[in-house]
Amino acid sequence: MFTVSCRNDDPVVEIPKGDYQNGILISNEGNFGKPNASVSWSNPDFSSVKNEIYQTVNNQNLGDVLQSISFNGDLAYLVANNSNKIIVANRYTMKKEKEITDGLKLPRYSTVAGNYLYVTNSSGNTVAVYNLSTNDLVKKLTVTDAAERIVTAGKTVFVENASWGSGNKLTLINSADNTIKKEVTVPAGNIQKTVAYNGSVYTITNDKSAKASYIYQLSEAGDVVKTFTMSNISNAKNLEIDQNKIYFTSGLGVYSMDLNATAAPTDPVFKVTDNSWSTLYGFNVIDGKIYTADAKGFTEASEITVYSTTGAVLKTFKAGMGTNGFYKN
């Protein structure tokens, strides 16, 4: 009788999915009325930055106003607002796979839930619902007030009924049957931005009359389960959550606090350099790095500055025209 022990010490080799895997995708809005929207990419240490990657791969313009990007598996959904289309591309190669136009009228944001893609349209205040397998339009839902940002928590889709700093409601959609469940009104202030994190939804609001801001945590059912009150911070916006920490901005200040904090911050961690209205046109926090974009008034390429969570500048580089978002890829 013999005992044989087998062991495989060979390292597992991951086959790259494309040139733009394991980095940051950057959405560049472009000038309104011109087909100069674009996507940029940076590797994790910023030693390689590539602009206009969609145009380079597909030999065609992306469109007019790249509003946002969402993902499902290997696919990226590039929402071109003023072109009234969504380009479906491989997120790692940027190779175009399909173009969606049906049911779109000034689309803004998108999210995936179950077997469906949900897209908000600012014209008509509608949410277009598409089958993910076929990209076919299956339904259009009309919401009251605006249809702006849209996020998923569990089986519920939350539609932000607020735009341009005005509006205090969220519409909840059941992704199982694509019906509107209910509307939720936040306790105070107008909604500035809504995000999803670990099965909950967080929305940041401003109450101009009280010169205060609030962050509300909502359950999948739409119930407010926690409130952060910033009584001395007005005009808070750019809400993001990363590694169990909440980040937001007010004026030129970048604020942070733990997700389980019992009190909101009173002072910013650091401030960015003022450059008029487009200073913080793009903002996100990804894997402990804070990404900011100065859109330079849409007169030249945006300047990206990446900070540590303590405010140390890690890198500065140029992207496209009107950078408005950063996405982990």
Side-chain angles (χ1 to χ4, degrees):
M1 180 180 290
F2 298 91
T3 301
V4 179
S5 175
C6 297
R7 187 177 69 180
N8 185 357
D9 291 331
D10 293 335
V12 177
V13 178
E14 181 182 352
I15 300 174
K17 294 182 178 181
D19 291 342
Y20 310 117
Q21 185 181 3
N22 298 326
I24 302 297
L25 291 180
I26 302 169
S27 56
N28 304 301
E29 188 172 306
N31 297 101
F32 184 85
K34 296 181 179 180
N36 64 340
S38 66
V39 179
S40 301
W41 175 85
S42 170
N43 65 348
D45 66 1
F46 318 113
S47 61
S48 177
V49 176
K50 298 179 181 180
N51 292 318
E52 298 189 340
I53 60 175
Y54 178 86
Q55 287 92 327
T56 299
V57 170
N58 297 283
N59 196 30
Q60 63 177 224
N61 290 329
L62 194 158
D64 184 355
V65 181
L66 176 58
Q67 185 65 49
S68 61
I69 303 175
S70 66
F71 304 101
N72 180 50
D74 291 349
L75 298 178
Y77 299 88
L78 312 177
V79 181
N81 170 263
N82 204 39
S83 291
N84 293 311
K85 67 181 181 181
I86 298 172
I87 293 174
V88 185
N90 183 292
R91 65 190 291 179
Y92 304 118
T93 67
M94 272 297 118
K95 180 68 176 177
K96 179 180 177 179
E97 298 202 0
K98 191 163 183 178
E99 187 172 299
I100 302 172
T101 57
D102 192 17
L104 300 176
K105 195 168 184 181
L106 298 181
R108 298 283 289 171
Y109 296 91
S110 61
T111 191
V112 168
N115 299 318
Y116 301 99
L117 172 72
Y118 299 81
V119 183
T120 56
N121 289 289
S122 60
S123 180
N125 300 336
T126 64
V127 179
V129 185
Y130 300 88
N131 184 302
L132 281 173
S133 300
T134 63
N135 294 313
D136 291 335
L137 178 68
V138 296
K139 196 170 189 178
K140 285 186 78 171
L141 300 169
T142 301
V143 298
T144 58
D145 303 315
E148 184 67 357
R149 293 185 183 271
I150 187 167
V151 298
T152 300
K155 296 181 179 179
T156 303
V157 174
F158 286 70
V159 183
E160 190 181 271
N161 304 133
S163 61
W164 309 109
S166 179
N168 62 354
K169 294 179 181 178
L170 297 161
T171 297
L172 279 60
I173 299 172
N174 185 344
S175 66
D177 59 8
N178 293 319
T179 58
I180 293 177
K181 296 168 63 173
K182 63 179 179 180
E183 284 185 350
V184 174
T185 302
V186 296
N190 288 311
I191 297 172
Q192 306 301 306
K193 188 175 183 182
T194 304
V195 300
Y197 186 79
N198 285 352
S200 292
V201 167
Y202 297 78
T203 190
I204 193 165
T205 73
N206 292 333
D207 186 345
K208 292 183 179 180
S209 61
K211 295 183 179 180
S213 300
Y214 306 87
I215 298 174
Y216 298 107
Q217 178 187 353
L218 290 83
S219 67
E220 183 181 346
D223 301 318
V224 175
V225 296
K226 190 172 185 178
T227 301
F228 296 96
T229 301
M230 286 86 77
S231 57
N232 296 317
I233 300 175
S234 60
N235 196 32
K237 56 185 180 180
N238 288 323
L239 175 67
E240 295 292 346
I241 304 176
D242 177 67
Q243 299 178 344
N244 291 319
K245 295 194 74 172
I246 295 174
Y247 297 85
F248 63 91
T249 68
S250 175
L252 300 174
V254 177
Y255 296 74
S256 72
M257 62 179 169
D258 290 336
L259 202 60
N260 60 357
T262 56
T266 56
D267 298 306
V269 178
F270 66 95
K271 290 185 176 182
V272 300
T273 303
D274 189 8
N275 190 28
S276 189
W277 62 272
S278 64
T279 300
L280 283 168
Y281 200 78
F283 181 87
N284 203 350
V285 186
I286 302 171
D287 293 339
K289 297 182 178 70
I290 299 172
Y291 294 79
T292 69
D294 179 355
K296 300 289 184 179
F298 283 73
T299 60
E300 59 180 281
S302 298
E303 183 174 86
I304 311 304
T305 304
V306 187
Y307 298 86
S308 71
T309 54
T310 59
V313 175
L314 303 177
K315 187 71 174 181
T316 300
F317 59 91
K318 293 288 188 177
M321 183 71 72
T323 299
N324 61 12
F326 304 90
Y327 305 84
K328 184 176 180 178
N329 205 34

